[in-house]
Amino acid sequence: MSSKPRVLVVDDKRNMVSLMKKVLRNDASVSGAVCGRDAIAALEAEEFDVVLCDLKMPDVHGVEVLRACRRLRPNAEFILMTAHASVDTAVDALRLGAYDYLTKPFDPEAARLVVLRALARAAAHLPEPSGAGESGNEFLPGVIGRSKEMLELASLVQRIAVSDSTVLLLGDTGTGKERVSRAIHTLSPRSGNRFVPVNCAAIPGELLESELFGYTKGSFTGANRDRAGLFEEAHEGTLFLDEIGDMRSSLQAKLTRVLEERAIRRIGDSKERPVDVRLIAATHRDIEEMIHEGTFREDLWYRLNVATVRLPPLRDRQGDIELLAQRFLKERARAANRTLRGFSEAATHALHEYDWPGNVRQLRAAVERASIIAMGEWITEADLPPEIFGRRSVSAPPPDLVELTWQQVLDSSRDRAAPHYLRALLAKHRGRVSEAATQAGVERESFYRLLRRYELNAANFRKDPD
């Protein structure tokens, strides 16, 4: 009998079974079933470590095979194969206990990596994922979410991770760009090598070049030895450049050359050194507008805009707000060695009503504050930060108007209406600021000030072509 782990592939298309047998030939002993009934019979008769099953089959639905697998082989990991149009059903399957899902058509190597992770989980006897538990909501390593938006993000990231392409992460501050970059590295063939992060906005422009490329002894005052830069440190691994929109233009030109030549030159050195690095860049800025304004190089944009991932803001992930808040509360309870059971109904409602301009980072800080000042085991509305009640959505009840001055009424009405008006304009014009400003009847710079005031990012309203 083979000592390899066992995988059952279930699909009514025999070529899919043949494909996965070929892809996994060095990793597992693969059996096939061409219908749901055959799959259930196989599960009744034999042990399997992983089941890879199609969602739609002519006899028995993939979800029914999942239920049978949970009953017959509770220690087996289950992976669903589905078309993009069936993502909602995939969400239900994950909540029923599926380990992961693959969206057809998929890259065979991407599928292999998903199966290998499932086999590793099975071999380690880790707790089974569950829709109610923490592990079942971690569809990317270190990234928590169960909303449709996060499942679609996870599917895209898994496909991108197995390639070696440059990745550009776009999204508001606090949406988790570094966590997603680490997940890409973890899921990539480079995962055994270094992940090197650097925040371009946190390092002064004149120092960033030496940090990235290194320098030779005597090349400038204080350079008393040769020093390798971060590109060399990340050799055969991943370099994450956060807030690349803050990089000065002269350094953008050098970065473009590195991406073209796959070699760096230390400051003060005449010799080029080859580097094998996967680059992931991220920014909350509107890069296309920066190109229009001349503050970001178009040739660098072409090099970066290979595999682009837009991270959804927390306000668009309503299904994740309570989940994340509970997760952060558990972390605080463990750290403080105290009992914190959850959020009151009023507090939960307040969390959902707020639009979270600071995204997940702001939610974590709000939960931490609430856990510190809470007197009992439950977080109440009074424990939440006061700003949450100043930025309610349009559905929230207005304050008692008779207690306000006329100017306060005008200011309050403007601040409630303006974000919705600006979002509607940006959505109509697909994030094109110049067109939105023209319709609003204001100068483009004034429109930008409005966006900054209400913490909106035009890039989030750009729709990728179908």
Side-chain angles (χ1 to χ4, degrees):
M1 181 178 292
S2 173
S3 60
K4 288 184 178 180
R6 302 201 62 203
V7 175
L8 176 64
V9 179
V10 188
D11 199 301
D12 59 316
K13 297 178 177 60
R14 294 181 184 273
N15 61 343
M16 179 60 72
V17 176
S18 299
L19 171 65
M20 294 312 301
K21 283 184 176 181
K22 181 179 179 181
V23 169
L24 297 169
R25 63 185 180 277
N26 296 323
D27 307 303
S29 175
V30 180
S31 300
V34 293
C35 66
R37 290 192 184 92
D38 286 354
I40 294 171
L43 289 167
E44 288 174 340
E46 304 174 65
E47 292 277 356
F48 291 96
D49 299 287
V50 170
V51 178
L52 183 63
C53 182
D54 193 25
L55 176 66
K56 292 186 177 181
M57 293 179 289
D59 60 341
V60 177
H61 198 273
V63 173
E64 292 305 314
V65 179
L66 168 59
R67 290 194 176 100
C69 182
R70 295 272 67 80
R71 183 181 75 254
L72 297 167
R73 304 294 174 191
N75 292 325
E77 300 294 346
F78 196 96
I79 301 169
L80 199 68
M81 296 183 289
T82 176
H84 178 72
S86 303
V87 167
D88 286 337
T89 307
V91 174
D92 294 336
L94 290 163
R95 290 172 180 164
L96 286 171
Y99 170 71
D100 207 339
Y101 76 97
L102 292 166
T103 304
K104 291 182 176 181
F106 51 74
D107 180 81
E109 185 60 23
R112 174 176 174 266
L113 290 178
V114 172
V115 173
L116 290 181
R117 290 198 304 273
L119 287 171
R121 179 186 288 271
H125 301 288
L126 294 176
E128 294 180 22
S130 164
E134 292 183 6
S135 62
N137 294 306
E138 193 170 300
F139 304 135
L140 292 174
V143 181
I144 304 300
R146 64 186 174 201
S147 63
K148 180 179 178 181
E149 291 78 13
M150 290 304 290
L151 287 169
E152 291 175 345
L153 173 70
S155 176
L156 175 60
V157 166
Q158 287 168 353
R159 295 197 299 273
I160 287 173
V162 297
S163 74
D164 209 33
S165 299
T166 300
V167 180
L168 179 62
L169 304 178
L170 301 175
D172 292 349
T173 299
T175 48
K177 293 186 286 295
E178 182 167 347
R179 283 181 177 267
V180 171
S181 71
R182 289 182 181 275
I184 292 172
H185 174 73
T186 300
L187 298 173
S188 77
R190 296 176 179 263
S191 59
N193 299 310
R194 289 198 63 187
F195 174 86
V196 179
V198 57
N199 188 321
C200 299
I203 301 174
E206 62 273 14
L207 297 181
L208 184 57
E209 181 178 357
S210 61
E211 285 292 312
L212 290 177
F213 304 130
Y215 52 81
T216 58
K217 181 179 178 179
S219 56
F220 54 82
T221 303
N224 52 15
R225 60 180 177 87
D226 289 352
R227 180 182 173 186
L230 296 178
F231 266 97
E232 289 179 79
E233 288 187 25
H235 183 65
E236 297 185 338
T238 303
L239 178 64
F240 174 54
L241 297 182
D242 198 8
E243 299 303 349
I244 196 169
D246 290 79
M247 181 181 287
R248 65 185 184 184
S249 182
S250 60
L251 193 50
Q252 290 175 28
K254 293 186 177 182
L255 178 59
T256 303
R257 178 173 174 77
V258 171
L259 293 175
E260 290 172 348
E261 304 296 332
R262 296 292 172 181
I264 61 98
R265 182 179 295 165
R266 293 181 183 177
I267 296 174
D269 197 356
S270 59
K271 180 177 68 174
E272 285 198 333
R273 302 168 186 264
V275 288
D276 175 16
V277 172
R278 188 197 195 159
L279 184 69
I280 302 177
T283 184
H284 72 283
R285 293 181 177 272
D286 186 340
I287 295 293
E288 292 184 54
E289 281 295 325
M290 292 180 69
I291 292 171
H292 181 74
E293 295 167 354
T295 56
F296 198 89
R297 292 180 62 95
E298 192 169 13
D299 52 355
L300 177 56
W301 164 248
Y302 292 142
R303 289 288 176 181
L304 296 176
N305 192 26
V306 178
T308 302
V309 179
R310 295 187 186 275
L311 277 64
L314 186 56
R315 63 177 174 271
D316 292 342
R317 298 169 50 192
Q318 280 289 315
D320 293 335
I321 291 175
E322 187 174 355
L323 170 70
L324 288 164
Q326 292 285 1
R327 172 69 173 261
F328 298 151
L329 190 63
K330 286 182 181 179
E331 291 175 357
R332 292 304 306 165
R334 284 195 295 266
N337 194 26
R338 60 175 292 197
T339 301
L340 291 168
R341 298 187 181 278
F343 298 83
S344 69
E345 185 176 345
T348 301
H349 178 73
L351 293 176
H352 282 285
E353 284 291 304
Y354 189 52
D355 61 7
W356 299 107
N359 294 291
V360 178
R361 186 179 299 156
Q362 184 187 12
L363 175 61
R364 181 188 288 273
V367 172
E368 181 173 353
R369 175 197 185 274
S371 69
I372 292 170
I373 68 172
M375 301 295 290
E377 296 181 348
W378 293 87
I379 303 296
T380 68
E381 193 176 25
D383 300 323
L384 297 174
E387 64 267 18
I388 287 180
F389 307 101
R391 290 180 59 92
R392 290 287 181 86
S393 69
V394 73
S395 61
D400 189 348
L401 296 180
V402 297
E403 300 299 325
L404 303 177
T405 66
W406 173 244
Q407 188 59 51
Q408 287 173 327
V409 169
L410 294 178
D411 291 343
S412 175
S413 298
R414 180 196 60 211
D415 287 339
R416 284 201 305 274
H420 301 286
Y421 171 70
L422 294 171
R423 287 192 189 107
L425 269 182
L426 290 170
K428 176 182 177 181
H429 294 288
R430 302 170 69 87
R432 293 187 285 267
V433 171
S434 297
E435 294 179 14
T438 299
Q439 181 170 337
V442 299
E443 296 294 329
R444 193 156 60 97
E445 287 306 313
S446 298
F447 196 86
Y448 267 117
R449 283 194 291 272
L450 287 171
L451 295 183
R452 287 192 292 270
R453 175 174 180 173
Y454 294 104
E455 297 176 297
L456 297 173
N457 187 346
N460 292 331
F461 296 83
R462 291 208 179 90
K463 303 295 184 183
D464 296 326
D466 294 330

